[in-house]
Amino acid sequence: MKENKYNLILSNLKLGNKEFVKAEINKLHAGDIAILINAFPREYQLDLFKLLDNELASNVLPNLFSDIQEQILSVIPPNRLINIIDEMESDEAVDILSDLEDDLSKKVLDNINKEDSEDIRRLMAYDEESAGGLMQSEFIAVETQMKRDEIIEFIRENHTDVENLHYVFVIDTEKKLVGILEITSLLLAKKNSIASSIMEKKELFVANVNMDQEQVAHIFRKYDLYILPVVDDNNLLLGRITVDDIIDVIDEEASEDAYKMVGLESEDKVFTTPLSSVKKRLPWLALNLMTALLVSSVVGIFENTISQLSFLAVLMPIVAGLGGNSGIQTLTVIIRGIALGELTIHNTRKAIFKEVTVAVINGILIGSTAMLIAYLLKSDLMLGVVLGCAMVCNMLIAGLVGSIIPIIMKSLKIDPALASSVIITMLTDIGGFASFLGLASILLV
Amino acid sequence: MKENKYNLILSNLKLGNKEFVKAEINKLHAGDIAILINAFPREYQLDLFKLLDNELASNVLPNLFSDIQEQILSVIPPNRLINIIDEMESDEAVDILSDLEDDLSKKVLDNINKEDSEDIRRLMAYDEESAGGLMQSEFIAVETQMKRDEIIEFIRENHTDVENLHYVFVIDTEKKLVGILEITSLLLAKKNSIASSIMEKKELFVANVNMDQEQVAHIFRKYDLYILPVVDDNNLLLGRITVDDIIDVIDEEASEDAYKMVGLESEDKVFTTPLSSVKKRLPWLALNLMTALLVSSVVGIFENTISQLSFLAVLMPIVAGLGGNSGIQTLTVIIRGIALGELTIHNTRKAIFKEVTVAVINGILIGSTAMLIAYLLKSDLMLGVVLGCAMVCNMLIAGLVGSIIPIIMKSLKIDPALASSVIITMLTDIGGFASFLGLASILLV
């Protein structure tokens, strides 16, 4: 999409040239139209959406930012919404309907194609972040004994609902999943071969309907999959998950980790309304105020020392600052390692040992530089020693808490990304101020 | 893969039961074997790798951590390496060969299948982080006039090299790309229909060979693609990129952003050797020492005030700490927005305005709480006012620098994630200490 499309369409929309705008957007892919609407000034977002036909609207709506989606859903006439949902893939319809008021959602479900609405109601029962919440009910399944040409006929009659088919699933007479069959293999198979002889010979990968989405993403990653069948505890085939939805999951999980580490909620995006962002961030800032008061009370223990040697207050942020940044580095390495599956139960001790080693070596190197600088500035050898030792001590604390806290949280099944910067910086602040002021009050006063 | 496989295979490897271990690992998928080797104690990693046949080894090697890969490549006999590379897909062979010493890489290329080695040499010329660096040379292309059954015959003869085919490309007589054709459409097409009539009617998406990998990932995201053809400036078809490689790119880019924000290099993983991590982190810690000294020199301006009122030193970390964490929050929101393409040139001003609004409102709420607490603790109204005002002021600074700095960097085409926590916390530290001590020296001394 060219950048000037934005100006072309926006200016014509402002002028009310509806037919022209319609013609222009019909040349675009739904993904591009969504980007346009997301970037438009708020007052024109709805205007552009109104010009989309139902099918295009059904593909654009799921790609809009959630606040814009909400705004559009709150004003769209129910009949139009029914027509749009009717065109949607089941998994996307579920996402939209889950966000609607119950009575509107019911009204839509009562008025769309009956079979679709039954599928959607079934899908809505699953946790949004589970395989069931990700799967779509559109798939093609054939029985083991079906012959090649029968399968092709069956696909011909049923494929229109299924975008990105690429595989059909093979089931037994009880509808249990027994294999998957690549369309390419079907294309090249002999006329009389049956499904069970053409299907993949390799290990069959499936997701249980209750599996967490992060684990589903790991399966796609590890085995380089495009399509994954979803089954229940009895191996009954329920749906399929496609790799494009997994990319959304991976983006979401990466944002979530980055967000949790700094105490943000996932729904707090660039264009969330300011008031909503304030509400989301305030509890965390309040927690931060508490941790800051705690840190401050540790400094308070040494107020007497500071009143005698005021330059300690000048130097103390150095120890705390370096410890904080270094602790956040360790935390980031550990949390990415957990997210990408590199850290397993077999190698946690090795990981902690490594981070502590790095922290101590860096502490000694940076600490001795700081020692030298303090000595040169103040010509006070003892002050340099205090600063350097406090630095080594605080870097060690940073390495320890930055690695141990997320690992303990993981083993307690708490999301390790919640070991956020607030907690780590609180500990390194306390470590930094206490070690520096503590040593100073023993050695300098 | 069951967790107990780890212990079963490791213990038998230790006992030297090679045949048993071989039989066990041949039941596993390459992705699982890679996870085992990655988790094994270092001395057994090579032992297990040695037991893999060439084909399995060719699928396991690309999935090992880079340090383990390096270790294995440094001891593997050249003949075995040649056999492994011969089995590999071209894009993965390129990644391995690029990391080898030039003469070893040349030796391997001289000894594998000639056609493959020509492909690989061609691919090695592209930037690792470009479409050319991602693509594989294995694909099937047919001419526009080819009939359905001829295409199927052509696929039958040529498909063994191409994993995850799903689409064939359609080219004209000059080998220029004109379309793509889904295997499912081919399966359902009539006997005499020609390629150009069966191929997709929708917009054709391509990547130019020099396109940055992040942009390629955006195309996959936006249009929900599985396979993307790669062309040169003259639209000549060069290769294809598959979605599984895009997942790796997305993981990599997410790590990179999280890493850059805290001043880490991408190659600094959980199990990078300690010395290598020390080397990678040291320059950044040295920079951090400089910024800390700068912060300290700002505090130094007010040393006189502190020596008169030592409790200022006790309270000053509160202002700096909250500003720092709040600035990092804003930075994270903006950087994720840029990474996911939500922030465009049309809406940067809106984004900055939003973040500043949030910062000011939160500043007033948290600042007045702090004011109240300070008043209750010290029964000093003026001290409360100073603390509260400094807090509002520093939160404003946090909102401004956290949003403006990454946006300016993006517009200067510098990676915005480099606006790391060090820079932001330096600015909020200076802002916090200067506003608090500055106001205090005017109003309290």
Side-chain angles (χ1 to χ4, degrees):
Chain A
M1 186 185 61
K2 307 219 167 46
E3 196 49 69
N4 57 20
K5 280 275 176 203
Y6 176 91
N7 292 321
L8 180 73
I9 291 178
L10 184 57
S11 60
N12 277 282
L13 200 60
K14 284 181 182 170
L15 294 170
N17 295 337
K18 290 191 182 176
E19 290 313 311
F20 177 85
V21 173
K22 256 190 199 172
E24 280 298 316
I25 53 179
N26 275 319
K27 291 186 221 157
L28 297 178
H29 187 280
D32 286 318
I33 300 175
I35 288 178
L36 272 184
I37 296 184
N38 284 334
F40 267 14
R42 192 155 278 255
E43 59 267 38
Y44 295 103
Q45 292 169 336
L46 187 63
D47 289 351
L48 185 56
F49 187 81
K50 278 184 185 161
L51 296 179
L52 306 175
D53 65 36
N54 292 331
E55 210 211 311
L56 208 45
S58 77
N59 288 316
V60 169
L61 194 55
N63 292 311
L64 296 177
F65 295 157
S66 55
D67 57 322
I68 302 177
Q69 228 179 59
E70 240 171 72
Q71 183 213 359
I72 289 176
L73 288 171
S74 68
V75 295
I76 200 171
N79 281 337
R80 162 103 159 126
L81 184 58
I82 290 163
N83 292 331
I84 292 173
I85 298 284
D86 228 353
E87 298 280 347
M88 232 175 239
E89 292 194 319
S90 55
D91 53 336
E92 289 177 338
V94 168
D95 292 341
I96 301 285
L97 290 172
S98 315
D99 292 340
L100 292 182
E101 303 279 319
D102 284 351
D103 47 343
L104 181 54
S105 152
K106 188 175 174 304
K107 184 168 178 183
V108 172
L109 284 169
D110 289 345
N111 283 285
I112 60 174
N113 173 313
K114 189 150 174 273
E115 210 180 308
D116 288 352
S117 80
E118 278 168 15
D119 278 349
I120 293 172
R121 280 183 217 267
R122 224 181 346 257
L123 291 181
M124 284 177 80
Y126 298 109
D127 178 354
E128 219 182 310
E129 302 211 333
S130 70
L134 283 176
M135 74 182 178
Q136 48 182 219
S137 53
E138 293 87 353
F139 60 83
I140 293 183
V142 297
E143 288 196 8
T144 47
Q145 299 303 313
M146 254 171 111
K147 286 192 184 143
R148 174 184 186 273
D149 286 4
E150 292 167 3
I151 300 174
I152 295 178
E153 267 325 293
F154 189 73
I155 293 176
R156 195 187 305 282
E157 284 158 23
N158 295 287
H159 81 285
T160 43
D161 278 354
V162 195
E163 278 182 53
N164 285 310
L165 185 62
H166 305 316
Y167 293 88
V168 297
F169 301 140
V170 184
I171 50 176
D172 64 15
T173 48
E174 292 176 306
K175 304 206 174 216
K176 292 189 177 173
L177 180 71
V178 294
I180 81 169
L181 195 170
E182 193 176 336
I183 300 293
T184 308
S185 312
L186 189 63
L187 181 82
L188 303 176
K190 292 204 189 94
K191 207 175 160 54
N192 280 317
S193 36
I194 56 172
S196 59
S197 74
I198 324 170
M199 68 188 199
E200 305 237 341
K201 299 293 171 287
K202 294 179 291 186
E203 193 182 341
L204 174 65
F205 302 111
V206 297
N208 181 286
V209 69
N210 296 314
M211 189 180 271
D212 181 75
Q213 64 175 9
E214 203 163 353
Q215 213 181 329
V216 177
H218 272 312
I219 295 180
F220 270 85
R221 261 193 201 106
K222 194 158 63 165
Y223 305 118
D224 292 343
L225 304 179
Y226 291 56
I227 304 280
L228 182 68
V230 180
V231 297
D232 69 8
D233 294 337
N234 298 314
N235 205 30
L236 276 184
L237 180 61
L238 299 176
R240 59 171 210 156
I241 298 176
T242 56
V243 68
D244 47 313
D245 291 331
I246 291 302
I247 288 186
D248 295 339
V249 170
I250 290 176
D251 280 337
E252 217 179 275
E253 299 276 345
S255 286
E256 236 181 75
D257 277 359
Y259 267 42
K260 277 192 200 138
M261 274 185 64
V262 297
L264 286 166
E265 284 180 46
S266 330
E267 280 310 295
D268 193 348
K269 299 286 190 75
V270 183
F271 296 112
T272 309
T273 58
L275 268 185
S276 155
S277 287
V278 166
K279 263 191 251 168
K280 285 180 207 300
R281 293 185 204 175
L282 206 52
W284 181 87
L285 287 171
L287 168 71
N288 197 174
L289 184 59
M290 296 301 118
T291 63
L293 285 168
L294 191 65
V295 171
S296 156
S297 70
V298 172
V299 180
I301 300 171
F302 303 98
E303 193 183 327
N304 206 18
T305 312
I306 294 172
S307 72
Q308 292 170 58
L309 301 168
S310 56
F311 60 85
L312 293 179
V314 176
L315 294 176
M316 71 183 196
I318 300 177
V319 184
L322 272 151
N325 280 318
S326 162
I328 300 291
Q329 282 194 321
T330 295
L331 180 69
T332 305
V333 170
I334 298 287
I335 285 181
R336 274 312 283 173
I338 292 173
L340 296 179
E342 294 177 359
L343 240 174
T344 64
I345 52 162
H346 304 293
N347 53 25
T348 48
R349 217 178 310 168
K350 192 171 146 196
I352 296 171
F353 182 75
K354 185 238 155 145
E355 284 303 322
V356 171
T357 312
V358 173
V360 170
I361 300 177
N362 275 329
I364 291 171
L365 293 171
I366 292 288
S368 37
T369 314
M371 187 188 313
L372 194 70
I373 292 174
Y375 174 67
L376 292 177
L377 287 178
K378 296 263 171 188
S379 317
D380 181 344
L381 183 63
M382 217 47 193
L383 176 66
V385 171
V386 167
L387 184 64
C389 290
M391 211 97 138
V392 177
C393 175
N394 201 27
M395 296 280 268
L396 174 62
I397 292 172
L400 278 170
V401 299
S403 58
I404 290 178
I405 291 182
I407 286 174
I408 289 179
M409 290 174 81
K410 165 135 206 276
S411 73
L412 296 175
K413 304 216 181 291
I414 305 171
D415 188 332
L418 286 173
S420 65
S421 50
V422 174
I423 308 297
I424 301 296
T425 53
M426 175 187 77
L427 294 170
T428 52
D429 274 355
I430 291 178
F433 294 138
S435 60
F436 179 65
L437 296 173
L439 282 173
S441 61
I442 297 166
L443 298 176
L444 299 180
V445 180
Chain B
M1 187 185 60
K2 307 223 167 45
E3 195 51 67
N4 57 20
K5 281 274 176 203
Y6 176 90
N7 292 321
L8 180 73
I9 292 178
L10 184 56
S11 59
N12 277 282
L13 200 60
K14 284 181 183 170
L15 295 170
N17 295 337
K18 289 192 182 175
E19 289 313 311
F20 177 86
V21 173
K22 255 190 198 172
E24 279 299 315
I25 52 178
N26 275 320
K27 291 186 221 157
L28 297 178
H29 188 280
D32 286 318
I33 300 174
I35 288 177
L36 273 184
I37 297 184
N38 284 334
F40 267 14
R42 192 154 279 254
E43 59 268 40
Y44 296 103
Q45 292 169 337
L46 186 64
D47 289 351
L48 186 55
F49 187 82
K50 277 184 185 161
L51 297 178
L52 305 176
D53 66 36
N54 293 331
E55 210 210 312
L56 207 46
S58 78
N59 288 317
V60 169
L61 193 57
N63 292 310
L64 296 177
F65 296 156
S66 55
D67 56 323
I68 301 177
Q69 226 179 60
E70 239 170 72
Q71 183 213 0
I72 289 177
L73 288 172
S74 68
V75 294
I76 201 172
N79 281 337
R80 161 104 160 127
L81 184 58
I82 289 164
N83 292 330
I84 293 174
I85 298 283
D86 227 353
E87 297 280 347
M88 232 176 240
E89 292 194 320
S90 55
D91 52 338
E92 289 176 339
V94 167
D95 292 342
I96 302 286
L97 290 172
S98 315
D99 292 340
L100 293 182
E101 303 279 320
D102 285 352
D103 47 343
L104 181 54
S105 152
K106 188 173 174 304
K107 182 167 179 187
V108 171
L109 284 169
D110 289 344
N111 283 286
I112 61 173
N113 172 311
K114 188 150 175 267
E115 210 180 307
D116 287 353
S117 80
E118 277 168 14
D119 278 349
I120 292 172
R121 279 183 217 268
R122 222 181 347 256
L123 291 180
M124 285 178 80
Y126 298 109
D127 178 355
E128 219 182 309
E129 302 212 333
S130 70
L134 283 176
M135 73 182 180
Q136 48 183 219
S137 53
E138 293 88 353
F139 59 83
I140 293 183
V142 298
E143 287 196 8
T144 48
Q145 299 303 312
M146 253 171 113
K147 285 194 184 141
R148 175 185 185 275
D149 286 3
E150 291 168 2
I151 300 175
I152 295 177
E153 268 323 295
F154 188 74
I155 294 175
R156 194 187 306 281
E157 285 158 22
N158 295 286
H159 80 287
T160 41
D161 278 353
V162 194
E163 276 183 54
N164 285 309
L165 184 63
H166 305 316
Y167 293 88
V168 297
F169 301 140
V170 184
I171 50 175
D172 64 14
T173 48
E174 291 174 305
K175 303 205 174 219
K176 292 190 177 174
L177 180 71
V178 295
I180 81 169
L181 196 171
E182 195 176 332
I183 300 293
T184 308
S185 312
L186 188 63
L187 181 81
L188 302 176
K190 293 204 188 92
K191 207 175 160 55
N192 279 317
S193 37
I194 56 172
S196 61
S197 75
I198 325 170
M199 68 189 198
E200 305 238 340
K201 300 293 170 290
K202 294 180 290 187
E203 194 181 341
L204 173 65
F205 302 111
V206 297
N208 181 285
V209 69
N210 295 314
M211 189 181 271
D212 181 76
Q213 65 174 9
E214 203 164 353
Q215 213 181 329
V216 177
H218 272 312
I219 296 180
F220 270 85
R221 261 193 200 108
K222 195 159 63 166
Y223 305 117
D224 291 343
L225 304 178
Y226 291 55
I227 303 281
L228 183 67
V230 180
V231 296
D232 69 8
D233 294 338
N234 299 314
N235 205 30
L236 276 184
L237 180 61
L238 299 176
R240 61 172 209 155
I241 298 176
T242 56
V243 68
D244 46 314
D245 291 331
I246 291 302
I247 288 186
D248 295 340
V249 170
I250 290 176
D251 281 338
E252 215 180 276
E253 299 276 345
S255 286
E256 233 180 75
D257 276 359
Y259 268 41
K260 278 193 197 137
M261 275 185 63
V262 297
L264 287 165
E265 284 179 47
S266 330
E267 280 309 296
D268 193 347
K269 298 287 189 75
V270 183
F271 294 112
T272 309
T273 58
L275 267 186
S276 154
S277 287
V278 166
K279 263 191 249 165
K280 285 180 206 302
R281 294 185 204 174
L282 206 52
W284 181 86
L285 287 170
L287 168 71
N288 197 174
L289 184 59
M290 296 301 119
T291 64
L293 286 168
L294 191 65
V295 170
S296 155
S297 71
V298 171
V299 179
I301 300 172
F302 303 98
E303 192 182 330
N304 205 17
T305 311
I306 294 173
S307 72
Q308 292 170 57
L309 301 169
S310 56
F311 60 85
L312 293 180
V314 176
L315 295 176
M316 70 182 197
I318 300 178
V319 185
L322 272 151
N325 279 319
S326 162
I328 300 290
Q329 282 194 321
T330 295
L331 180 69
T332 305
V333 170
I334 298 287
I335 284 180
R336 274 312 283 173
I338 292 173
L340 297 178
E342 294 177 358
L343 241 175
T344 63
I345 52 162
H346 304 295
N347 53 24
T348 47
R349 218 179 308 168
K350 193 171 146 197
I352 295 171
F353 183 75
K354 187 239 153 147
E355 285 303 322
V356 171
T357 311
V358 173
V360 170
I361 300 177
N362 275 331
I364 291 172
L365 294 171
I366 291 289
S368 37
T369 313
M371 187 189 310
L372 195 69
I373 293 175
Y375 174 67
L376 292 176
L377 287 178
K378 296 264 171 188
S379 318
D380 182 342
L381 183 63
M382 217 48 193
L383 176 66
V385 171
V386 168
L387 183 64
C389 290
M391 211 97 137
V392 177
C393 176
N394 201 28
M395 295 281 267
L396 175 62
I397 292 172
L400 278 171
V401 299
S403 57
I404 290 178
I405 290 182
I407 287 174
I408 289 178
M409 289 173 84
K410 163 128 207 276
S411 72
L412 296 175
K413 304 213 181 292
I414 305 169
D415 189 332
L418 287 172
S420 66
S421 51
V422 174
I423 308 297
I424 301 296
T425 52
M426 176 187 75
L427 294 170
T428 52
D429 273 355
I430 292 177
F433 294 138
S435 60
F436 179 64
L437 297 173
L439 282 172
S441 60
I442 296 166
L443 297 176
L444 299 181
V445 180

